[in-house]
Amino acid sequence: MGKRSILFALPAFIIYSALLIVPILLAFMLSFTSWTGYAANPIHYVGIANFIDLWKDEKFLHSIWVTLRLVLVVTLGSNALGLIFALLLNKSGKLTNVFRSVFFVPFVFSTVAVSFIWSSIISYTGVINYLLGVVGLETWQTDFIGNANHAIWSISIIEIWKTVGFNMVIYLAALQTVPAELYEACTIDGGNARNKFRHVTLPMIVPGISISVLMSVINEMKQFDLVKVITDGGPGSGTETIAYHIISQAFGYNLLGYSSAIALVLFVAVVLVSIAHLSITRRFEVES
Amino acid sequence: MKKWLSVMACSLVAFTILAGCGSNSNKNSSASPEAVSSSPATSAASEAPKADPVKIKWAIFETDNFTDALWQSIIDSFEKEYPDIQVEKVLMTGDSRPQFLKTLLAAGSLPDIMLDPAELAKIKDVLAPVPDDLLANFEDGSVPVFNNQKVLVPASKQLRSATYYNKKMFADAGITDVPKTWDEFLAACEKLKAKGITPLITAGASDVWATSFGYWVNVVNPEVEVWNANFNADLKSGAAKWNNPVITDALQKWQDLYKNGYFDKGSLSYSYSQASAEFQKGRAAMMMDGSWVAPSLDKGNLTDFGVFQQPTKDGITSYSAAFNYMAVSNSSKNKDAAFKFLKYFLVDNKDVYLSYIKADGLLSSTKEPVTYEMGPVQTQFVDSLKGLKLVDEITKLPGDNALPTGMEDFTQKSLQSILAGAPISKELDTWDDQYKKLSAATAGN
């Protein structure tokens, strides 16, 4: 039985190792070299030089700042809205399923397709500025993409719109695990709707919050596709995220060793954030 | 109701997934207006039927001028002549073709033949040396040497850039003649602005190259050439730096144009095609753009537009032209077939070659010149170059003094930051750092 199960697991294990574990280990090794990515070029070991260069690379430091802003805004926005929508839709009603689908649909769309659609909406000559012009608010017309500060906000809002449905589903699942007796007990004790949310719902859905927030944080820490299509990291390097910086160093400038070093730093950061996050939220978890 | 909803939801999901799967058919057989007939030609077609045709891949890109139908008509013509060779197109997507090709190189799947391979020529042994009998057909001095090898085929010559203008807007602002000095140019901008006409437009957003292309080629490059004709060589030896007074001053003028409100406010959010379309719709009076715009204005019979050579602080001194190269991958298993294709396309069949250069307003690079009748804007473009000196373009210079691979992409990103207001001297310092880093990487150290 044991041998047979190993046999069944083997194909998946081999594919997983070959496509994930091995590249991660290779990236770890490459981060200590100056390899350019071309097979013909020799691989020179450079010690920790790449990791020292990192902290002198202003574009990398800026990409950390951009990524942190995205992580903060999107995680807060998407989770707060996801929870609100879940609370509103956690009941049986005629249109409940319709609304659940409506909020979830953006998550299903391909990011690249979504990015192109949003680009045409928020472009300077796009729908939003056109409508502002029609109603006589020309002074409100804004360059949503060509100004780095506006562009980060635009990307954050699109990302919240796209991911809110996914977070809502996690919160809906979490809300449905809260036993009805607890709400009854709260009512008997004279609790109102606010008390129910504060003292029953919130403590009971901590595992849901935990997973949803963690997924948002990790997703935004590796944000690439939306930025690539909408601004291509621009104007200039204004909206480059860490993941964007990794890809451009590797394939734009052929600094594969250096980009592996950044990837390793990002990997360690994601692991540390995840551990910290889980250990903090675990303290708030309660058993029903 | 619920059933309907699920059916609708499922269809929506299926549609979304399928929407991303639309592929660019490589077997587009639609007849092109530019389609060319296969000529009797010089090459002998093999009459005997072959069991398995040789398949080669050709990396192409598409623009309004270089359409899928044009490339397909070239392939059809070749395949008719050489039925034992099949050519399949690989469409280079994204805003940076060098980056696209380098990604394929890293993945070990470089196509057999490539358009725009100059960046790869800088890396040793990636491209195949071109047979002398093929190179003998091209103009003297057109074949660059990289690491003692000739790996690029100079397929055509491209006049680079000029300033296109809207004649009606110029007339409305009372500008009677095109500017010949930088001060006249500034005065024209001011007159247009005073009349409520936006003087300039450029592109930004994800078309990083397009933001600075026109200004770099029209203003920065000529000013650097007047100052130091050996800039690339000096940069390589360490005698010159990117952060120098000439480049700083040229870029300061550009940044000032933006700060003074001479550029359309949405410039940095337009894609290149959007900016071109907005310019042609009359959103701004001038756009510094590539030579390829002239034939498309002529084709659309847009007679309201004219073109002039952009004055710099030194007046109008020079223009640049660059060769468009093609190359064959060194790892190709069918190099002979690939070179046969290039020879047929660029040398043997003049009709095919003409359809290619005419589409983008290019000039022939062959020893035996191939010419065609040009429209009014293109004629004005060519006439405006009379008496000017042809100079190298720093970022496009091929051969051993070429910039390291990746440097041009880096400068374009930084130039976009500069137009958006980044401190110029600090940005140029990053160019010097990156130049050293990329030179070492290109050399394989």
Side-chain angles (χ1 to χ4, degrees):
Chain A
M1 186 64 197
K3 272 183 189 169
R4 198 180 291 172
S5 52
I6 290 173
L7 215 61
F8 275 115
L10 209 59
F13 177 75
I14 290 171
I15 293 170
Y16 185 74
S17 306
L19 297 181
L20 200 73
I21 308 291
V22 172
I24 287 175
L25 291 177
L26 282 177
F28 179 76
M29 292 193 296
L30 285 176
S31 63
F32 296 98
T33 71
S34 62
W35 195 44
T36 53
Y38 305 127
N41 284 354
I43 301 179
H44 293 290
Y45 174 75
V46 293
I48 56 164
N50 287 332
F51 294 91
I52 296 168
D53 286 350
L54 265 184
W55 308 108
K56 295 183 213 149
D57 179 353
E58 284 189 26
K59 294 207 157 74
F60 170 65
L61 299 177
H62 183 74
S63 74
I64 296 180
W65 167 235
V66 172
T67 310
L68 282 179
R69 274 180 71 173
L70 274 176
V71 167
L72 203 69
V73 176
V74 176
T75 305
L76 281 176
S78 183
N79 282 279
L81 285 173
L83 181 57
I84 292 170
F85 292 154
L87 287 167
L88 293 173
L89 295 172
N90 187 29
K91 53 187 87 164
S92 54
K94 270 189 184 168
L95 290 175
T96 310
N97 278 340
V98 178
F99 280 116
R100 284 180 186 177
S101 306
V102 166
F103 288 127
F104 192 70
V105 160
F107 185 71
V108 179
F109 287 148
S110 126
T111 308
V112 175
V114 162
S115 308
F116 279 119
I117 294 167
W118 273 98
S119 292
S120 64
I121 295 174
I122 61 177
S123 151
Y124 192 72
T125 48
V127 181
I128 295 182
N129 279 343
Y130 171 75
L131 290 177
L132 287 171
V134 167
V135 296
L137 293 171
E138 281 93 353
T139 48
W140 288 23
Q141 288 178 337
T142 309
D143 190 359
F144 296 104
I145 300 175
N147 173 309
N149 200 23
H150 296 166
I152 295 173
W153 278 107
S154 305
I155 290 165
S156 304
I157 291 167
I158 298 167
E159 187 65 0
I160 291 172
W161 170 83
K162 187 167 159 37
T163 55
V164 71
F166 178 73
N167 293 321
M168 179 194 74
V169 168
I170 295 177
Y171 287 124
L172 270 173
L175 285 172
Q176 279 159 18
T177 62
V178 184
E181 307 89 71
L182 293 181
Y183 288 116
E184 286 166 19
C186 188
T187 312
I188 293 163
D189 288 345
N192 56 19
R194 202 175 142 195
N195 296 133
K196 275 184 200 165
F197 177 73
R198 168 74 186 80
H199 298 291
V200 179
T201 312
L202 214 49
M204 292 304 292
I205 62 164
V206 167
I209 296 175
S210 171
I211 193 77
S212 181
V213 168
L214 187 61
M215 296 283 278
S216 296
V217 170
I218 293 175
N219 267 333
E220 296 321 309
M221 282 180 87
K222 58 188 180 67
Q223 176 57 254
F224 172 76
D225 34 13
L226 208 58
V227 171
K228 175 71 194 168
V229 182
I230 292 185
T231 63
D232 201 7
S237 311
T239 53
E240 282 186 11
T241 58
I242 300 175
Y244 184 100
H245 199 65
I246 292 171
I247 303 280
S248 64
Q249 296 297 314
F251 298 108
Y253 310 133
N254 311 104
L255 303 170
L256 213 80
Y258 181 62
S259 78
S260 299
I262 307 175
L264 191 66
V265 170
L266 179 64
F267 176 75
V268 172
V270 170
V271 169
L272 288 179
V273 167
S274 307
I275 293 171
H277 174 83
L278 287 175
S279 65
I280 291 168
T281 50
R282 195 159 290 162
R283 286 189 209 156
F284 296 99
E285 282 182 25
V286 292
E287 296 282 330
S288 62
Chain B
M1 179 72 180
K2 265 188 182 170
K3 211 169 195 179
W4 269 107
L5 276 176
S6 355
V7 170
M8 276 177 65
C10 287
S11 323
L12 201 62
V13 172
F15 174 76
T16 323
I17 293 164
L18 290 176
C21 300
S23 72
N24 197 352
S25 164
N26 282 330
K27 285 285 161 196
N28 188 343
S29 58
S30 63
S32 148
E34 311 262 359
V36 285
S37 62
S38 141
S39 86
T42 47
S43 48
S46 53
E47 295 296 322
K50 295 272 159 56
D52 281 320
V54 172
K55 287 182 184 166
I56 49 175
K57 287 187 175 175
W58 182 25
I60 49 114
F61 60 89
E62 287 175 13
T63 64
D64 291 347
N65 294 343
F66 285 141
T67 58
D68 178 68
L70 173 76
W71 300 128
Q72 191 58 48
S73 72
I74 293 168
I75 292 173
D76 289 345
S77 174
F78 173 75
E79 287 179 349
K80 211 167 164 188
E81 199 69 20
Y82 292 90
D84 53 338
I85 304 172
Q86 275 181 9
V87 184
E88 191 190 326
K89 287 175 288 174
V90 176
L91 179 65
M92 293 190 270
T93 52
D95 65 308
S96 171
R97 292 193 281 276
Q99 193 165 338
F100 183 93
L101 288 176
K102 283 192 277 179
T103 310
L104 289 187
L105 172 66
S109 53
L110 210 55
D112 302 277
I113 311 169
M114 287 154 276
L115 297 181
D116 249 7
E119 282 282 291
L120 298 186
K122 299 170 183 176
I123 308 162
K124 269 183 202 164
D125 302 327
V126 171
L127 300 178
V130 186
D132 287 337
D133 64 321
L134 175 58
L135 290 178
N137 295 292
F138 296 93
E139 278 178 16
D140 294 333
S142 63
V143 182
V145 179
F146 290 87
N147 304 310
N148 299 320
Q149 284 192 317
K150 294 174 181 173
V151 292
L152 297 177
V153 181
S156 58
K157 204 160 45 176
Q158 187 182 45
L159 299 171
R160 294 291 283 161
S161 175
T163 304
Y164 294 86
Y165 71 103
N166 186 316
K167 290 177 187 167
K168 192 176 169 301
M169 288 178 165
F170 265 44
D172 288 349
I175 305 164
T176 48
D177 198 9
V178 293
K180 305 225 168 26
T181 62
W182 183 257
D183 288 340
E184 280 178 28
F185 173 70
L186 286 183
C189 289
E190 198 47 50
K191 274 186 184 170
L192 287 161
K193 201 182 164 199
K195 275 273 168 191
I197 300 168
T198 308
L200 288 157
I201 190 169
T202 188
S206 46
D207 285 325
V208 181
W209 66 272
T211 306
S212 54
F213 167 74
Y215 188 80
W216 183 268
V217 176
N218 281 317
V219 181
V220 186
N221 198 68
E223 290 189 1
V224 174
E225 283 292 336
V226 167
W227 168 62
N228 179 355
N230 297 315
F231 184 69
N232 285 59
D234 287 351
L235 205 56
K236 198 172 177 186
S237 68
K241 282 175 82 178
W242 286 107
N243 191 358
N244 61 63
V246 175
I247 294 186
T248 310
D249 174 64
L251 295 179
Q252 187 62 56
K253 284 187 294 183
W254 189 45
Q255 204 180 48
D256 289 346
L257 289 175
Y258 194 78
K259 277 185 189 158
N260 292 338
Y262 291 155
F263 273 98
D264 180 73
K265 272 186 195 163
S267 286
L268 283 172
S269 81
Y270 300 136
S271 65
Y272 171 66
S273 54
Q274 235 180 330
S276 298
E278 291 296 337
F279 170 64
Q280 289 181 16
K281 272 194 266 173
R283 198 175 174 88
M286 292 180 274
M287 181 165 176
M288 297 180 193
D289 206 343
S291 63
W292 55 85
V293 176
S296 79
L297 289 171
D298 285 334
K299 211 167 149 188
N301 211 10
L302 300 167
T303 49
D304 267 352
F305 295 91
V307 63
F308 61 87
Q309 284 301 308
Q310 173 66 37
T312 67
K313 73 172 167 58
D314 309 304
I316 304 171
T317 55
S318 60
Y319 73 100
S320 50
F323 286 97
N324 290 313
Y325 300 103
M326 297 189 191
V328 171
S329 160
N330 210 10
S331 58
S332 166
K333 291 192 180 81
N334 300 302
K335 284 184 201 128
D336 283 350
F339 283 120
K340 253 184 206 169
F341 175 73
L342 287 181
K343 185 161 187 292
Y344 175 82
F345 163 28
L346 302 172
V347 179
D348 293 344
N349 190 327
K350 292 279 181 287
D351 290 338
V352 171
Y353 186 57
L354 181 66
S355 73
Y356 153 70
I357 56 170
K358 197 178 167 186
D360 207 37
L362 302 170
L363 305 177
S364 69
S365 55
T366 45
K367 268 188 183 147
E368 192 186 324
V370 175
T371 55
Y372 53 92
E373 202 179 321
M374 294 175 180
V377 183
Q378 208 181 345
T379 307
Q380 198 184 2
F381 193 119
V382 175
D383 288 349
S384 72
L385 306 173
K386 280 180 187 153
L388 300 181
K389 187 181 154 203
L390 174 64
V391 295
D392 290 325
E393 198 176 322
I394 303 166
T395 44
K396 289 282 176 205
L397 186 75
D400 292 335
N401 285 330
L403 298 187
T405 174
M407 190 64 204
E408 192 183 4
D409 278 354
F410 182 85
T411 60
Q412 288 168 347
K413 272 236 145 219
S414 174
L415 285 166
Q416 212 180 42
S417 295
I418 288 173
L419 189 64
I424 296 166
S425 184
K426 205 174 157 199
E427 279 293 322
L428 289 177
D429 278 339
T430 68
W431 295 29
D432 284 309
D433 289 345
Q434 191 76 358
Y435 181 83
K436 275 185 211 146
K437 219 175 184 180
L438 295 180
S439 297
T442 304
N445 295 319

